[in-house]
């Protein structure tokens, strides 16, 4: 019986990356794939997965193991290779991934691209059926701020600078009113929380009229309940999460439309998730409500950290807000737009809320 020419053989040589190091061993067969999957180089592990899936059940086992890889890029590659398989042992390992549609628009606001993306997440149980979904954000390097050619840019978005962000988790949505109420019922850490603070009522609408100090109290209570460290995102993490790999004024493209973002038109907040997410799986990063960041306000990026960390010791007691809201024109909803900040104890803005960040193990 002749061999199937498309079936890999144990002695096949398979390349461990597009540009392997000089004098690197070219490893073949399933044993070679195992060694490549143990590499410290993400690209090598990703390329090994594409070969592993050709090796039947043993190769499938390796791909499923990669769903717990330390790199979210490797995890997502593994997911892409098995997401359509129906075996029970495969399906039960895919519960912490979700798929979604991402669109981009042209300069006239017309959708010119639709594509499927997927992301990993975990769910925090807040009690009484209330859950908080946290999306895995891969680490990476991006240009923070806006180029001088960007329309409507502000001087405080300069100088544009390179920032490297470590992997972290970020709230899939802004904190909702039902989530706020659940955490407000937990034991006090430093200050009391009004469980019914919002002007626009609705369990799944974002909570608003929240001060920076109250957002910090929310994070402290949630951290104590869960044993994880919840916090406000740094300004760099927020912009990195908002851009999701894009360099245009909005993650949607050159502009936004009222069909895709809640900005100056509806005169109120909308339930979270009412519009399509960005490529990381984060919803409502443009418009709906302003979101507190952990950073103090600074007039420009001179001296800003380049590692994605929180930038403190700013101007007085003013804290950073990002994202724009239902009350603003598009120019204030841009990825790079920086509000001049508000006092940390300001709590009367019915367009100010927040979303949380968390740094935990990728193998949750």
């Amino acid at each position: 019986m002749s061999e199937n020419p498309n079936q890999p053989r144990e002695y096949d040589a398979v390349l461990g990356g597009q540009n392997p190091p000089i004098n690197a061993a070219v490893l073949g067969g399933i044993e070679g794939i195992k060694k490549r999957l143990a590499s410290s180089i993400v690209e090598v592990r990703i390329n090994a997965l594409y070969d592993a899936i050709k090796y039947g059940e043993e190769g499938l086992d390796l791909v499923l193991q990669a769903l717990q890889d330390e790199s979210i890029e490797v995890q997502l590659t593994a997911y892409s290779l098995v997401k359509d398989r129906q075996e029970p042992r495969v399906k039960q390992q895919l519960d912490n991934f979700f798929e979604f549609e991402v669109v981009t628009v042209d300069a006239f606001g017309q959708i010119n691209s639709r594509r499927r993306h997927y992301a990993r997440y975990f769910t925090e149980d807040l009690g009484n059926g209330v859950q908080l979904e946290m999306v895995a954000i891969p680490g990476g390097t991006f240009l923070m701020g806006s180029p001088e050619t960007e329309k409507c840019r502000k001087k405080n978005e300069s100088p544009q600078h390179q920032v490297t962000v470590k992997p972290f988790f970020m709230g899939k949505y802004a904190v909702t009113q039902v989530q706020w109420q659940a955490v407000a019922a937990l034991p006090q850490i430093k200050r009391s929380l009004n469980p019914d603070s919002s002007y626009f009522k609705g369990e799944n609408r974002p909570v608003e009229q929240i001060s920076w100090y109250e957002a910090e109290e929310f994070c402290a209570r949630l951290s104590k309940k869960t044993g994880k460290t919840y916090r406000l995102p740094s300004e760099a993490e927020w912009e990195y999460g908002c851009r999701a790999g894009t360099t245009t004024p909005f993650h949607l493209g050159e502009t936004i439309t009222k069909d895709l973002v809640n900005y100056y038109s509806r005169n109120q907040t909308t339930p979270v998730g009412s519009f399509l997410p960005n490529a990381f799986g984060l919803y409502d990063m443009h418009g709906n409500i302003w979101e507190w960041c952990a950073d103090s306000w600074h007039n420009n990026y001179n001296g800003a950290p380049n590692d994605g960390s929180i930038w403190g010791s700013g101007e007085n007691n003013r804290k950073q807000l990002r994202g724009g809201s239902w009350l603003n024109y598009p120019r204030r909803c841009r990825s790079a737009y920086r509000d001049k900040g508000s006092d940390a104890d300001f709590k009367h803005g019915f367009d100010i809320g927040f979303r949380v960040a968390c740094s935990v193990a990728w193998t949750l």
Side-chain angles (χ1 to χ4, degrees):
M1 181 181 295
S2 61
E3 293 184 354
N4 182 346
N6 296 319
Q7 180 67 33
R9 295 161 296 183
E10 194 65 29
Y11 52 83
D12 283 343
V14 284
L15 194 61
Q18 295 299 315
N19 297 295
I22 296 174
N23 299 324
V26 179
L27 303 173
I30 195 71
E31 292 305 316
I33 290 173
K34 290 178 181 178
K35 291 179 181 179
R36 288 158 57 202
L37 286 172
S39 170
S40 61
I41 302 173
V42 169
E43 183 188 17
V44 171
R45 301 204 299 276
I46 288 175
N47 279 281
L49 289 175
Y50 286 109
D51 292 319
I53 201 67
K54 305 172 186 176
Y55 282 83
E57 292 298 308
E58 191 170 4
L60 176 60
D61 287 340
L62 295 176
V63 175
L64 294 178
Q65 291 172 20
L67 292 172
Q68 302 297 323
D69 192 271
E70 64 181 15
S71 163
I72 187 62
E73 292 93 338
V74 174
Q75 292 181 22
L76 294 179
T77 299
Y79 174 80
S80 72
L81 292 171
V82 298
K83 66 185 181 67
D84 295 323
R85 298 185 68 137
Q86 299 301 311
E87 300 97 320
R89 76 184 185 96
V90 174
K91 294 178 71 174
Q92 69 183 7
Q93 295 196 46
L94 303 182
D95 290 343
N96 289 335
F97 293 84
F98 70 101
E99 294 192 48
F100 48 93
E101 183 181 47
V102 175
V103 302
T104 54
V105 300
D106 61 23
F108 302 99
Q110 298 298 311
I111 294 176
N112 58 16
S113 172
R114 292 182 181 271
R115 56 205 184 277
R116 300 297 297 176
H117 277 244
Y118 26 85
R120 187 166 190 182
Y121 75 106
F122 73 88
T123 300
E124 201 72 84
D125 183 5
L126 303 183
N128 298 318
V130 180
Q131 296 182 327
L132 173 68
E133 292 176 288
M134 300 295 294
V135 178
I137 309 299
T141 299
F142 80 113
L143 277 177
M144 186 173 182
S146 61
E148 293 184 2
T149 55
E150 185 165 309
K151 187 177 180 180
C152 298
R153 75 184 299 269
K154 298 291 186 180
K155 290 183 179 179
N156 62 37
E157 299 164 21
S158 298
Q160 198 174 26
H161 57 293
Q162 185 171 284
V163 177
T164 299
V165 176
K166 295 179 180 179
F168 67 106
F169 283 84
M170 196 169 188
K172 187 176 184 180
Y173 312 108
V175 171
T176 65
Q177 292 174 38
V178 70
Q179 292 167 345
W180 175 265
Q181 291 163 5
V183 173
L186 297 175
Q188 178 175 327
I189 305 296
K190 290 185 177 180
R191 65 187 65 241
S192 63
L193 296 177
N194 176 7
D196 188 27
S197 67
S198 300
Y199 179 81
F200 299 109
K201 306 298 183 184
E203 285 189 351
N204 291 318
R205 291 190 190 220
V207 67
E208 14 95 359
Q209 298 195 120
I210 302 299
S211 74
W212 186 88
Y213 286 127
E214 289 173 326
E216 287 279 286
E217 175 71 16
F218 179 99
C219 293
R221 294 190 192 188
L222 184 58
S223 297
K224 185 173 182 179
K225 173 180 171 59
T226 64
K228 304 182 185 76
T229 302
Y230 281 93
R231 54 183 173 79
L232 293 175
S234 71
E235 187 181 7
E237 287 175 328
W238 193 98
E239 184 172 327
Y240 177 75
C242 178
R243 290 187 178 279
T246 64
T247 57
T248 47
F250 308 91
H251 66 70
L252 291 157
E254 295 295 331
T255 188
I256 53 178
T257 72
K258 295 174 182 178
D259 293 330
L260 298 173
V261 172
N262 180 17
Y263 62 92
Y264 192 70
S265 62
R266 292 176 176 81
N267 299 318
Q268 60 183 308
T269 60
T270 47
V272 299
S274 295
F275 305 94
L276 294 174
N278 67 14
F280 283 160
L282 300 175
Y283 289 76
D284 303 315
M285 296 298 284
H286 300 304
N288 213 14
I289 57 162
W290 287 102
E291 298 182 9
W292 288 112
C293 293
D295 303 47
S296 298
W297 167 252
H298 297 80
N299 288 325
N300 54 53
Y301 286 134
N302 291 325
N306 60 9
D307 61 357
S309 59
I310 297 168
W311 193 13
S313 303
E315 180 183 320
N316 300 319
N317 195 37
R318 299 181 76 81
K319 300 297 182 179
Q320 186 63 61
L321 289 164
R322 283 301 202 111
S325 79
W326 61 269
L327 193 57
N328 300 124
Y329 290 112
R331 64 177 178 270
R332 300 190 72 192
C333 300
R334 292 177 297 111
S335 298
Y337 187 85
R338 307 175 71 224
D339 186 81
K340 287 187 176 180
S342 291
D343 288 338
D345 56 0
F346 179 73
K347 59 182 295 180
H348 303 296
F350 42 76
D351 61 345
I352 297 178
F354 68 104
R355 76 178 69 213
V356 294
C358 182
S359 300
V360 294
W362 290 97
T363 55
L364 279 170

